[in-house]
Amino acid sequence: MRTMAVVGTGLIGTSVALAVSRRGVTVFLSDRDPAAERTAAALGAGLARPPGEPVDLAVIAVPPSQVGAVLTEAQERGVARAYTDVASVKAGPERAALRRAPEPARYVGGHPLAGRERSGPLAARADLFEGRNWVLTPSGLTSDEAFERALELVALCDAHPVVMHSGDHDAAVAVTSHVPHLMASLMAARLGEGPAGLARVAGQGLRDATRIAAGDSRLWGDILQANAPAVAGVLKDLHADLSRLVPAVDALAGGGEAERDLGMRTLVDLLDRGISGLAGIPAAGHARTGDGPGGVARERHGVLVRVAERPGELARLIAAAADLGGTAEDARADISGAGQGLTVRFAAPAGTADRLVTALAADGWDAVREDGGHPVREGSKGHRETRIPTA
Amino acid sequence: MRTMAVVGTGLIGTSVALAVSRRGVTVFLSDRDPAAERTAAALGAGLARPPGEPVDLAVIAVPPSQVGAVLTEAQERGVARAYTDVASVKAGPERAALRRAPEPARYVGGHPLAGRERSGPLAARADLFEGRNWVLTPSGLTSDEAFERALELVALCDAHPVVMHSGDHDAAVAVTSHVPHLMASLMAARLGEGPAGLARVAGQGLRDATRIAAGDSRLWGDILQANAPAVAGVLKDLHADLSRLVPAVDALAGGGEAERDLGMRTLVDLLDRGISGLAGIPAAGHARTGDGPGGVARERHGVLVRVAERPGELARLIAAAADLGGTAEDARADISGAGQGLTVRFAAPAGTADRLVTALAADGWDAVREDGGHPVREGSKGHRETRIPTA
């Protein structure tokens, strides 16, 4: 790929342009706002002028509701030989392309799973897509050439291509992105109306849980409207879950013993289902393994290490194991009694467990693979178990 | 403070013990689980035996529902001259202390705003509390000596003391911690029941929004029960908000034009209230400024820098400003027209804005304080504004 056009130089469009310019592709930038277009150019994202001849690929980087119109207009002008977009909703743009665009075969929908809370070209980064999944949603009409060009774009951005049906994509992002954004907004809005002293008890957990709510509200309004049917469905499920949760918590607040026990069971069951749900999504840096809840739980194997109970000895072992990719998950006192040593259970990715054993043994530690070495899942007992829980 | 007892060597208790041991305090550890006690000792957190004589301060690090009983038992044995706890709910433990403990004057409630998703002594860190707020909730009976000892503990852990009424604390954490945890669990539970391909479209935003749901479910069940009345109240507010949101999204999915417009206004209003709510909580590292929504928005001043539109020139400026604590928030094209340069607006903490101007000018940049230099709030227009929104 030698030439590319980026239509819409906001956060994503400018980041795409920066990423491919880095690789020697000549990029032509355009934006309905001259300041955004010139800002992207000044960042080194490309040239702020139209291409003289059709480019290899045009990337439409505008909100979902505008993709159809901008794509149609670009194809009418013959801007490129192939077209893709980066909107986070895919069925609507695909329908628009099939209905209105002169050359639907030259278009394939795309959605890079990357973003920032800040928007606009000044927030753009050439490495925004590194290691992230990038969904492509070819329609029945999408040509092999258009699909190949889009795959090339994903590769140039160091992202991982994932092919999905546009409808499946939209149903999935409603759960993983659109509804979580709304719930974060609902919670963040409560912070503005909450009791005095809120800020003094706001910790990192709250910041993480609400950060996505900082996203541009007009853009998100557009995204949520474009995926409204799927979003409404998930919202109704959550509304029903919440309708069951409220009486459970009410019972804990003032019910009789039987009601309190039932309320607690309902509560802990929800918390446990949440922990299991988390095991179904890949951790950061595991994008490539993302292939349905079954496929993504990171297989981890157990390694047992015996350590003497000298103060600091265990800290030294944990540091050594961490360098080798092992996480201490549990410690058992040897039956032989106090002062006789502890056996610490480490979990490590399947691939590195044996390396961990070998390296620790070489350093003089008494380390063995756990019997059978059967995998442990993230968020499974090992992780959740606690001695005396504290908070 | 020379001697301390830590009762309950889970994540928080062991982290406290590691932090104060570092400072030369002799710590006596105890836990109903011998393995947890010996693990903490092997980490270098202290001595796994009872103190020979009363210590200066005993830290009760057990779940909220157990604080009263453990405190009472410890005071009956005369373990310490002063007592505090670290539970994330404060009214219940305070009531228990006043009702049941032999020496309520020697007790002051405490809650360090720090934690991890992993639990147990193996997850403990000596620096867990550095820079975090640590709430103290003295009762009417709390003695000056007990309060002073607790303040000393907070200082030894490099945390910031915040004094609150126990009831105000509980009402605040219901909004900032307990209900967000439940919402994260509800969303994470949906991930386990969602459509295929979920994991392939799970991004960093989802991981951040749901991370807190990984916490120990038994501990969280205990915490939520201990604060059930306040939690139930906030849950009902959220349930009502959601009841208003669902029809708005339904209208966007299938309503007439008037309904869609109304739905979009409702949606964008919620998203904007969320953004405003976020402005009310301190960002990481701003714990100390946390003093009610009014006090926490980080005052930032504007700095305007003119930059030539040579490719890469703007990137060079942004990097230079970032090193000095300035964030590029907006760029305007000069009225003089294309190719004539951009004026970039940076925001910097009040204290560093002038330093930014001076340093940039010294490097040859055309930088000035924005007229009047009036402060801009995080999450305010400057941050949210976008040229062409993209996702």
Side-chain angles (χ1 to χ4, degrees), chain A residues 193-267:
Chain A
E193 296 146 23
L198 270 194
R200 290 177 291 179
V201 296
Q204 188 56 45
L206 176 69
R207 281 188 287 272
D208 289 344
T210 53
R211 185 177 296 117
I212 49 176
D216 179 86
S217 59
R218 289 168 305 155
L219 167 59
W220 275 94
D222 191 295
I223 291 169
L224 292 161
Q225 176 165 37
N227 201 24
V231 171
V234 179
L235 273 186
K236 286 168 189 174
D237 291 339
L238 267 181
H239 187 261
D241 294 340
L242 201 48
S243 302
R244 281 187 293 274
L245 183 59
V246 167
V249 178
D250 262 336
L252 288 175
E257 192 176 348
E259 291 79 5
R260 285 205 308 277
D261 291 350
L262 180 59
M264 182 57 89
R265 276 200 299 280
T266 306
L267 197 60

Side-chain angles (χ1 to χ4, degrees), chain A residues 33 38 61 86 118 309 328 387, chain B residues 33 118 309 328 387 390-391:
Chain A
D33 174 354
R38 288 163 56 183
V86 294
R118 294 188 50 210
E309 295 185 39
R387 290 297 167 235
Chain B
D33 173 355
R118 293 188 52 210
E309 294 185 39
R387 292 296 165 233
T390 56

Side-chain angles (χ1 to χ4, degrees), chain A:
Chain A
M1 184 139 56
R2 289 168 18 265
T3 58
M4 196 181 293
V6 170
V7 183
T9 55
L11 167 67
I12 302 294
T14 305
S15 295
V16 167
L18 286 170
V20 300
S21 295
R22 216 174 33 171
R23 301 296 173 81
V25 176
T26 302
V27 182
F28 298 89
L29 308 165
S30 62
D31 195 300
R32 66 180 177 192
D33 174 354
E37 181 178 306
R38 288 163 56 183
T39 299
L43 284 169
L47 307 165
R49 62 174 177 81
E53 53 184 23
V55 293
D56 296 325
L57 177 68
V59 179
I60 312 295
V62 302
S65 66
Q66 300 171 32
V67 171
V70 173
L71 172 69
T72 300
E73 192 269 345
Q75 288 196 341
E76 283 165 351
R77 287 192 293 113
V79 169
R81 282 180 285 280
Y83 301 80
T84 188
D85 73 314
V86 294
S88 55
V89 180
K90 300 264 61 78
E94 180 178 283
R95 271 195 307 275
L98 297 179
R99 286 209 199 112
R100 303 160 49 181
E103 303 180 296
R106 294 182 183 274
Y107 165 77
V108 56
H111 176 211
L113 270 293
R116 297 184 68 185
E117 279 63 66
R118 294 188 50 210
S119 46
L122 288 169
R125 284 168 24 188
D127 64 357
L128 190 63
F129 313 104
E130 274 176 22
R132 303 307 186 88
N133 280 0
W134 189 313
V135 178
L136 295 175
T137 58
S139 75
L141 295 185
T142 298
S143 69
D144 292 350
E145 192 209 345
F147 186 62
E148 289 302 327
R149 288 302 189 198
L151 282 176
E152 220 177 318
L153 169 65
V154 174
L156 286 168
C157 293
D158 297 320
H160 307 304
V162 172
V163 178
M164 295 177 77
H165 178 274
S166 58
D168 296 340
H169 167 275
D170 291 357
V173 291
V175 181
T176 60
S177 171
H178 301 169
V179 167
H181 189 105
L182 282 172
M183 299 312 288
S185 297
L186 285 170
M187 285 190 292
R190 286 264 139 238
L191 295 175
E193 296 146 23
L198 270 194
R200 290 177 291 179
V201 296
Q204 188 56 45
L206 176 69
R207 281 188 287 272
D208 289 344
T210 53
R211 185 177 296 117
I212 49 176
D216 179 86
S217 59
R218 289 168 305 155
L219 167 59
W220 275 94
D222 191 295
I223 291 169
L224 292 161
Q225 176 165 37
N227 201 24
V231 171
V234 179
L235 273 186
K236 286 168 189 174
D237 291 339
L238 267 181
H239 187 261
D241 294 340
L242 201 48
S243 302
R244 281 187 293 274
L245 183 59
V246 167
V249 178
D250 262 336
L252 288 175
E257 192 176 348
E259 291 79 5
R260 285 205 308 277
D261 291 350
L262 180 59
M264 182 57 89
R265 276 200 299 280
T266 306
L267 197 60
V268 172
D269 171 67
L270 164 66
L271 297 170
D272 283 333
R273 282 189 294 119
I275 291 164
S276 310
L278 289 183
I281 60 172
H286 287 69
R288 192 159 236 155
T289 70
D291 193 10
V296 301
R298 290 130 289 171
E299 274 208 353
R300 290 166 75 80
H301 290 271
V303 172
L304 301 178
V305 187
R306 245 177 130 283
V307 56
E309 295 185 39
R310 283 190 300 278
E313 188 76 350
L314 179 52
R316 199 166 67 79
L317 169 62
I318 289 174
D323 295 341
L324 299 160
T327 311
E329 301 210 326
D330 189 21
R332 303 175 214 136
D334 294 354
I335 302 133
S336 44
Q340 297 311 299
L342 295 162
T343 299
V344 184
R345 186 181 174 295
F346 289 86
T352 61
D354 291 323
R355 190 145 41 79
L356 184 60
V357 172
T358 319
L360 288 176
D363 286 357
W365 299 101
D366 176 2
V368 295
R369 269 292 293 275
E370 189 175 35
D371 228 61
H374 30 67
V376 198
R377 285 210 168 174
E378 288 286 333
S380 74
K381 190 156 168 296
H383 246 232
R384 280 156 47 203
E385 195 168 60
T386 177
R387 290 297 167 235
I388 281 223
T390 56

Side-chain angles (χ1 to χ4, degrees), chain B:
Chain B
M1 186 138 54
R2 289 168 18 265
T3 58
M4 196 181 292
V6 170
V7 184
T9 55
L11 167 68
I12 302 293
T14 305
S15 295
V16 167
L18 286 169
V20 300
S21 296
R22 217 174 30 170
R23 301 296 171 82
V25 176
T26 302
V27 182
F28 299 89
L29 308 165
S30 63
D31 196 300
R32 68 181 177 191
D33 173 355
E37 182 178 307
R38 288 162 56 184
T39 299
L43 283 168
L47 307 166
R49 61 173 176 82
E53 54 184 22
V55 294
D56 297 324
L57 178 68
V59 179
I60 312 294
V62 301
S65 67
Q66 300 172 32
V67 171
V70 174
L71 172 68
T72 300
E73 192 269 346
Q75 288 197 341
E76 283 166 350
R77 286 193 292 114
V79 169
R81 281 180 286 281
Y83 301 79
T84 188
D85 73 312
V86 294
S88 55
V89 180
K90 299 264 62 77
E94 181 178 282
R95 270 195 307 275
L98 297 178
R99 285 208 198 111
R100 303 160 49 181
E103 302 180 296
R106 294 182 182 273
Y107 165 76
V108 56
H111 176 211
L113 270 293
R116 298 185 68 184
E117 278 64 65
R118 293 188 52 210
S119 46
L122 288 169
R125 286 167 23 187
D127 63 357
L128 190 64
F129 312 103
E130 275 177 21
R132 302 308 186 88
N133 281 1
W134 189 311
V135 178
L136 295 176
T137 58
S139 75
L141 295 186
T142 298
S143 69
D144 292 350
E145 192 208 347
F147 186 61
E148 290 302 327
R149 288 302 190 199
L151 283 175
E152 220 178 318
L153 169 65
V154 175
L156 286 168
C157 293
D158 296 320
H160 308 304
V162 172
V163 178
M164 294 178 77
H165 178 275
S166 59
D168 296 340
H169 167 276
D170 291 358
V173 291
V175 181
T176 60
S177 171
H178 301 170
V179 167
H181 189 106
L182 283 172
M183 291 299 119
S185 296
L186 284 170
M187 285 189 292
R190 287 261 140 239
L191 296 175
E193 296 145 24
L198 271 195
R200 290 177 292 179
V201 295
Q204 188 56 43
L206 176 69
R207 281 189 287 272
D208 289 344
T210 53
R211 183 178 296 117
I212 49 175
D216 179 86
S217 59
R218 288 167 307 154
L219 167 61
W220 275 94
D222 190 296
I223 291 169
L224 291 162
Q225 175 164 39
N227 201 24
V231 171
V234 179
L235 273 186
K236 286 168 188 173
D237 291 340
L238 266 181
H239 187 261
D241 295 339
L242 201 49
S243 302
R244 282 187 293 273
L245 183 59
V246 167
V249 178
D250 262 337
L252 288 175
E257 194 175 345
E259 291 78 7
R260 284 205 308 278
D261 290 350
L262 181 59
M264 182 58 89
R265 276 200 300 279
T266 306
L267 197 60
V268 172
D269 171 66
L270 163 66
L271 297 169
D272 282 333
R273 282 189 294 118
I275 291 164
S276 310
L278 289 182
I281 61 171
H286 286 67
R288 192 159 236 153
T289 69
D291 194 11
V296 302
R298 292 127 288 170
E299 274 208 353
R300 291 166 74 82
H301 289 272
V303 171
L304 302 178
V305 187
R306 249 178 127 280
V307 56
E309 294 185 39
R310 283 191 299 280
E313 189 76 349
L314 179 52
R316 198 165 67 80
L317 169 62
I318 289 172
D323 294 341
L324 300 159
T327 311
E329 300 209 326
D330 188 22
R332 304 174 211 136
D334 294 354
I335 302 137
S336 46
Q340 296 312 298
L342 295 162
T343 299
V344 184
R345 187 182 173 294
F346 288 85
T352 62
D354 290 322
R355 189 145 42 80
L356 183 60
V357 171
T358 319
L360 288 176
D363 286 357
W365 297 103
D366 176 2
V368 294
R369 270 293 292 275
E370 190 173 35
D371 227 60
H374 31 68
V376 199
R377 285 209 171 170
E378 286 286 331
S380 73
K381 190 159 168 296
H383 245 231
R384 280 157 47 203
E385 192 169 63
T386 178
R387 292 296 165 233
I388 280 222
T390 56

